[in-house]
Amino acid sequence: MIKTAFYDAKEYDKPSFEHYGNPHDMQFRFLETKLNEDTVDLAKGCDAVCVFVNDTVNAAVIDRLYQHGVKIIALRSAGYNNVDVHAAFGKIHVVHVPAYSPYAVAEHAIALLLTSVRRIHKAYNRTREFNFSLNGLTGFDFHGKTVGVIGTGKIGRIFIDICRGFGMNVIAYDLYPAKDSDIEYVSLDELFGRSDIVSLHCPLTAETRHLIDASAIEKMKKGVVIVNTSRGGLIDAEALLEGIKARKVGAACLDVYEEEADIFFEDRSGHILNDDLLSRLISMPNVIVTSHQAFLTEEALNNIAETTVSNILSYFSNSGICDNELCYRCGHIEQCKKERKQRCF
Ligand code: NAI
């Protein structure tokens, strides 16, 4: 029996993991708390830990898990910026779910954009109170507008296809532009200068942290709409708020927020929110915030559970090779994944 400590467990996680894990004799210890230095000992006696985006998997946590004999850290997310893969190398194997439904995230980005630009959230509230006035609800056509996409991986490319369906002009920036594609790649500065809408689909790395800061916003068109369904740290939220107050940024659609870890995914409705910046952003009429919900579709939840269970099982199989392992050995994680023929260590 493989025992897995499942941190930050939510009601919607359990059915799919039990469905895919039970036939393989996997036992999940569902824990509501997040993984961090205070909660790491709850994994004692487990072979694996399963973590999500706001669990803290730093060097101290990894060392403690190693002492407890935990063999594998299974991320049930694509992004792995919350795991110190350097520190894990040679001690604990780290696996992730590279793709579970890029459609879910791309479609949510579009849902946010349409809601914001066509003021659907405002209309919904008005008509519920029999207020049928149209004042203040004027939007703009997507058709003919230029959208700048930063990061043209799985999600970015689906987002691009959808935008093209609307008749939008797409320009993009990626550190590693896709070969053999018809995407028009431009420099970041050109993208900022030409885009009516900027949508973020790149990972959070040391390089991309605060990619959207005051100087980036300065280069953007007046009225630009900024969409972030990637990671909160890509945007300097203070600078975004200033851009909104200065009427430079026309609207912001945020599914992620840099300081979301202790706020998102929880019901805080009866509490005072101890984050003035987020409170200010939410109070703006042209800001829409969803709490890291872009991934949340039936299809994605099933794919996440199926791949995570298979990742854990493959570690305990005879070969022990898992295609979805993240290893720091060659210094280029994604490339290392493609070339793996044996266990990373
Ligand atoms: P992917 O790995 O397929 O694509 C990422 C792209 O970003 C690649 O083309 C890569 O070359 C590019 N990139 C890397 N460094 C860059 C840089 N410095 N500047 C510009 N581009 C750079 O990843 P995928 O599946 O498309 O996911 C993108 C991001 O979406 C993830 O990193 C994750 O943070 C986020 N995400 C958010 C979810 C949500 O629920 N809100 C769910 C799933 C993913």
Side-chain angles (χ1 to χ4, degrees):
M1 178 180 290
I2 302 170
K3 288 188 189 160
T4 302
F6 193 107
Y7 282 91
D8 203 7
K10 297 282 183 284
E11 281 310 311
Y12 51 75
D13 290 316
K14 295 178 188 174
S16 52
F17 272 86
E18 280 169 346
H19 172 78
Y20 287 103
N22 287 354
H24 300 286
D25 212 16
M26 286 181 71
Q27 195 185 76
F28 294 103
R29 186 181 291 169
F30 289 110
L31 302 163
E32 282 183 21
T33 181
K34 292 184 183 61
L35 174 60
N36 55 43
E37 285 163 57
D38 296 328
T39 61
V40 62
D41 290 339
L42 295 170
K44 202 172 173 182
C46 288
D47 311 290
V49 294
C50 183
V51 298
F52 198 47
V53 292
N54 290 323
D55 289 299
T56 305
V57 197
N58 58 20
V61 167
I62 288 166
D63 281 345
R64 195 81 182 136
L65 290 172
Y66 185 55
Q67 284 165 19
H68 286 316
V70 170
K71 302 281 186 299
I72 180 166
I73 295 165
L75 279 148
R76 51 183 191 278
S77 62
Y80 46 85
N81 53 284
N82 53 329
V83 179
D84 187 339
V85 281
H86 272 103
F89 184 70
K91 291 181 180 155
I92 304 186
H93 295 257
V94 182
V95 292
H96 75 148
V97 183
Y100 37 88
S101 176
Y103 302 99
V105 183
E107 289 169 13
H108 191 77
I110 294 289
L112 285 174
L113 246 184
L114 277 170
T115 303
S116 168
V117 170
R118 302 308 302 270
R119 316 281 193 261
I120 305 295
H121 53 309
K122 297 194 171 297
Y124 174 80
N125 284 331
R126 279 190 196 180
T127 55
R128 285 176 67 82
E129 296 199 349
F130 307 126
N131 173 357
F132 301 105
S133 152
L134 298 184
N135 288 335
L137 300 187
T138 309
F140 62 75
D141 289 7
F142 278 9
H143 186 268
K145 295 295 181 302
T146 297
V147 58
V149 178
I150 302 181
T152 55
K154 292 175 285 295
I155 296 169
R157 292 180 79 156
I158 293 165
F159 180 81
I160 287 173
D161 286 346
I162 301 173
C163 288
R164 284 178 171 165
F166 280 109
M168 300 170 97
N169 307 313
V170 177
I171 54 175
Y173 170 78
D174 195 300
L175 204 54
Y176 310 99
K179 295 187 183 96
D180 309 325
S181 87
D182 60 353
I183 298 170
E184 181 190 347
Y185 285 101
V186 296
S187 68
L188 259 187
D189 280 358
E190 186 175 344
L191 184 143
F192 292 148
R194 282 175 56 192
S195 301
D196 301 295
I197 295 162
V198 173
S199 194
L200 302 175
H201 300 287
C202 61
L204 176 63
T205 61
E207 217 171 2
T208 59
R209 188 167 175 273
H210 290 185
L211 186 82
I212 306 297
D213 59 7
S215 86
I217 291 171
E218 182 72 36
K219 291 170 193 151
M220 292 181 192
K221 280 188 176 177
K222 186 169 164 48
V224 64
V225 180
I226 299 174
V227 185
N228 189 6
T229 55
S230 216
R231 284 292 179 270
L234 295 173
I235 296 183
D236 175 350
E238 293 269 7
L240 177 65
L241 183 62
E242 288 310 312
I244 290 165
K245 282 160 59 184
R247 280 56 171 182
K248 178 78 191 263
V249 175
C253 305
L254 309 174
D255 186 51
V256 284
Y257 171 66
E258 189 165 15
E259 302 300 327
E260 71 180 47
D262 292 326
I263 302 171
F264 281 15
F265 302 114
E266 308 298 335
D267 180 358
R268 302 264 173 227
S269 53
H271 304 260
I272 309 281
L273 190 60
N274 283 329
D275 186 320
D276 291 352
L277 186 53
L278 182 60
S279 303
R280 283 304 308 271
L281 282 168
I282 290 175
S283 75
M284 292 289 161
N286 49 355
V287 175
I288 297 185
V289 174
T290 51
S291 51
H292 209 134
Q293 123 184 27
F295 74 99
L296 196 64
T297 65
E298 292 279 346
E299 291 81 357
L301 289 176
N302 280 324
N303 291 338
I304 288 168
E306 189 176 17
T307 306
T308 304
V309 164
S310 146
N311 284 345
I312 296 173
L313 290 174
S314 59
Y315 172 81
F316 292 100
S317 70
N318 287 339
S319 77
I321 299 173
C322 177
D323 288 339
N324 296 327
E325 179 155 0
L326 299 166
C327 135
Y328 201 75
R329 180 176 43 185
C330 66
H332 194 311
I333 294 176
E334 298 296 327
Q335 197 173 317
C336 173
K337 280 176 62 182
K338 282 177 201 141
E339 291 167 4
R340 182 167 308 113
K341 300 212 169 38
Q342 58 188 43
R343 253 190 187 181
C344 290
F345 56 87

